[in-house]
Amino acid sequence: MTTITFDTLKFANRLKSAGVSSAHAEAEAEALAEVFELTGRDLVTREYLDVRLTQLEQRMIQIEQRITIKLGALMAGAVGIVAALVKLL
């Protein structure tokens, strides 16, 4: 799982140096850290995407094989029908 590192102390100190009260700066830093934590849970990793891509590629190969078999069967049936019609005519 991907994690976002956020230095709450550095952030709070930066706010304090900009004139924000200590209590306000610390509350903002904690709230922002919580947001990053909650947001980080929903991030997709590269490994997950690689696995899903591999699964999709395998599924596409299976579908391609099924389509090829069905097309071949249709062509064989069409050739059989044409051959039967040629004999009848």
Side-chain angles (χ1 to χ4, degrees):
M1 171 102 5
T2 303
T3 57
I4 298 174
T5 56
F6 176 67
D7 188 349
T8 54
L9 179 60
K10 183 178 179 181
F11 182 73
N13 287 338
R14 183 174 292 172
L15 289 176
K16 289 176 194 176
S17 67
V20 176
S21 71
S22 179
H24 188 134
E26 290 171 9
E28 271 196 51
E30 289 175 14
L32 195 54
E34 187 176 329
V35 167
F36 283 146
E37 180 184 337
L38 293 174
T39 305
R41 291 182 191 162
D42 296 331
L43 292 178
V44 176
T45 63
R46 177 70 186 182
E47 292 80 19
Y48 174 80
L49 290 176
D50 287 341
V51 168
R52 293 295 291 156
L53 181 60
T54 302
Q55 290 172 346
L56 289 172
E57 288 172 342
Q58 291 171 351
R59 182 72 177 132
M60 288 176 64
I61 289 170
Q62 292 172 350
I63 291 171
E64 182 182 4
Q65 290 170 345
R66 288 174 50 197
I67 289 173
T68 301
I69 291 169
K70 288 180 181 182
L71 182 59
L74 285 172
M75 289 178 64
V79 168
I81 290 171
V82 169
L85 288 174
V86 167
K87 285 186 180 186
L88 288 176
L89 298 175

